[in-house]
Amino acid sequence: MALARTVTLPNGLTLAVEEQPWNPGVAMQLLLPVGAITDPEGLEGAANLLEGWLWKGAGGRDARALAEAFDDLGVRRGSGAGLEYTTLGASFLAGQLEKVLALYADVLMRPALPDDALEPVRQVALQELASLEDQPPKKMFTALRRAVFSSPHGRNPSGTLEGLQAATPEALRADFRRRYGARGAVLALAGGLTLEQAHAAVEATLGAWDGGEPAMPGPAVSRPHALRLEQPSAQVQIGLVYPDVSIGHPEFYTARLAAQVLSGGMGARLFAEVREKRGLVYSVYASPNGVKGYSYLSAYAGTTPERAPETLEVMQQVIEQLAEGVSAEELERAKVGLRTALVMQEESARARVVSMARDLYIIARVRPLEEIEAEIAAVDLERLNRYVAANPYRDPWTAVLGPVDQTVVSL
């Protein structure tokens, strides 16, 4: 298994390369610490707007010519702005590396940011924000995250109506100059190239990229509490959030295995008890989530108003009963499921660079698959049961979204 090697350029850009000599292609992930948590007050949604506006021309090309330049090199690309960072991802043939990086250098260092292209970008962002009304689970979790975090980590990555409407070209250009810099950015590459080749190409194209990373606020959370959200519908959305341990904690993979016991397939506890045994829901799951510096376990169920009280009660019981212990069979099933997910992810160069970039952002190093597998293998039944007994999931933040007059849930 290839190991990622890293180097930091003089301008502060961190380059990580995993050499895959058998692979004729290259997958790329550029992570910029430009997200909703560092949007200026009153311009919530600025990172979202900037990401869309960037593609409206660069390096003397208009939007169409820029798109055609990428297409001419066979680049498959995607991008997006999120809560903590913006990502620019691509896949292309290894021989095109320097030409592709030169195009990204134009986007990052010489964007057109034309006035007349901002309004269409704003309208797309406003539609994205409005679409929450048609996605009740996402709307519920957006509100729940806002309730959990007292820091900007509770913001909606899409922005706010007021912030999106207030953004002017001048304000966004100033924000671009402030936040879109090389320092703090991570460029992850995996495929048929060497670190030396990548380093030379990056120096030639992005070596002059300058600028400082924005100050990142630390996560802060509220006291666990409940919120009820009214929305006329035939369904009730239920969400729970429990504090958990973060990457870097010595028991991180112990906690991941515990979560896998709860929700690692159709034989896992939540699915078996809430859906299969009681028929309370169509969908129920729990999954580890988090931001840099704070992790949590979130759980979800969608049900009918009349079944919402029992669903919430049973969900909490199943999650809390994890502290009473796990069987050897459950642990083995959880290990197989977690390792399978990791191995399948590593088979994709695209997924690998996403993982590499996030590792560097969160813990400032890239974890090799062998290390992760060893940590999973080291968790035996005694260790897992000792952990869940000492760290029970209790007192969650809770959200219920649905028709208030029909949903009788004690919160």
Side-chain angles (χ1 to χ4, degrees):
M1 179 65 68
L3 297 178
R5 293 191 290 159
T6 63
V7 62
T8 300
L9 277 66
N11 62 1
L13 171 66
T14 298
L15 170 65
V17 176
E18 186 166 283
E19 299 174 10
Q20 300 174 349
W22 63 90
N23 187 350
V26 170
M28 181 195 95
Q29 181 83 339
L30 176 61
L31 184 154
L32 302 138
V34 180
I37 62 172
T38 54
D39 279 344
E41 291 290 335
L43 284 180
E44 291 83 2
N48 188 18
L49 290 173
L50 281 172
E51 184 278 320
W53 203 20
L54 278 179
W55 303 107
K56 301 304 181 181
R61 305 175 186 86
D62 62 16
R64 182 181 179 87
L66 180 62
E68 289 176 345
F70 277 107
D71 290 345
D72 288 345
L73 296 175
V75 180
R76 299 175 63 183
R77 59 191 173 94
S79 60
L83 181 63
E84 298 179 274
Y85 45 76
T86 292
T87 56
L88 311 181
S91 299
F92 47 88
L93 294 176
Q96 304 288 6
L97 175 64
E98 188 163 339
K99 292 179 181 178
V100 172
L101 289 178
L103 286 179
Y104 278 100
D106 282 341
V107 171
L108 294 165
M109 300 164 61
R110 295 171 286 276
L113 302 179
D115 283 14
D116 60 357
L118 177 58
E119 194 54 36
V121 172
R122 191 198 320 272
Q123 290 305 315
V124 170
L126 288 169
Q127 290 178 42
E128 178 186 341
L129 187 64
S131 72
L132 272 182
E133 295 303 317
D134 300 322
Q135 303 173 75
K138 186 175 180 180
K139 179 181 179 180
M140 181 272 296
F141 271 119
T142 298
L144 183 53
R145 189 179 63 247
R146 188 163 55 243
V148 169
F149 288 101
S150 54
S151 60
H153 298 78
R155 289 176 171 177
N156 181 352
S158 299
T160 64
L161 179 63
E162 296 76 14
L164 293 172
Q165 291 177 333
T168 64
E170 294 76 14
L172 288 176
R173 289 191 191 102
D175 189 38
F176 175 84
R177 291 190 293 270
R178 180 178 69 89
R179 288 197 286 174
Y180 266 77
R183 287 193 295 277
V186 173
L187 177 61
L189 300 167
L193 75 173
T194 66
L195 175 62
E196 292 72 23
Q197 290 170 335
H199 193 179
V202 173
E203 281 280 17
T205 55
L206 293 167
W209 184 27
D210 202 0
E213 62 184 306
M216 305 292 283
V221 300
S222 67
R223 292 177 61 86
H225 60 282
L227 62 153
R228 191 190 301 270
L229 307 162
E230 182 172 8
Q231 177 162 309
S233 68
Q235 285 276 308
V236 171
Q237 317 298 323
I238 299 172
L240 304 171
V241 166
Y242 297 86
D244 213 341
V245 296
S246 298
I247 296 176
H249 189 282
E251 298 294 350
F252 175 72
Y253 285 102
T254 312
R256 288 295 304 272
L257 287 166
Q260 192 78 6
V261 170
L262 283 174
S263 186
M266 293 187 179
R269 291 189 181 186
L270 278 172
F271 190 90
E273 185 68 26
V274 183
R275 173 172 160 158
E276 294 299 283
K277 181 178 177 181
R278 300 174 185 257
L280 291 170
V281 301
Y282 178 76
S283 177
V284 62
Y285 63 83
S287 62
N289 289 283
V291 297
K292 186 175 183 177
Y294 190 83
S295 291
Y296 55 91
L297 180 79
S298 59
Y300 165 81
T303 187
T304 58
E306 61 272 13
R307 292 186 172 186
E310 185 182 358
T311 299
L312 176 57
E313 180 181 357
V314 175
M315 281 179 70
Q316 289 188 262
Q317 285 176 355
V318 171
I319 294 170
E320 292 179 6
Q321 284 170 358
L322 190 67
E324 298 172 11
V326 172
S327 71
E329 292 77 12
E330 286 179 314
L331 173 57
E332 185 57 32
R333 193 182 306 122
K335 283 188 173 184
V336 171
L338 196 53
R339 288 190 67 250
T340 299
L342 287 166
V343 170
M344 294 304 294
Q345 176 178 300
E346 297 302 313
E347 290 297 311
S348 162
R350 183 77 196 95
R352 181 57 181 153
V353 292
V354 170
S355 175
M356 289 164 59
R358 182 160 174 79
D359 270 3
L360 284 165
Y361 171 75
I362 296 288
I363 59 174
R365 70 182 186 88
V366 178
R367 297 168 298 163
L369 180 61
E370 292 86 349
E371 175 188 319
I372 298 173
E373 290 186 317
E375 291 198 30
I376 293 171
V379 180
D380 59 20
L381 190 61
E382 180 184 357
R383 178 176 168 183
L384 177 57
N385 282 331
R386 184 171 62 248
Y387 173 80
V388 295
N391 300 275
Y393 291 117
R394 296 278 192 274
D395 302 320
W397 287 270
T398 305
V400 174
L401 181 148
V404 170
D405 57 338
Q406 299 177 44
T407 309
V408 184
V409 178
S410 178
L411 296 178

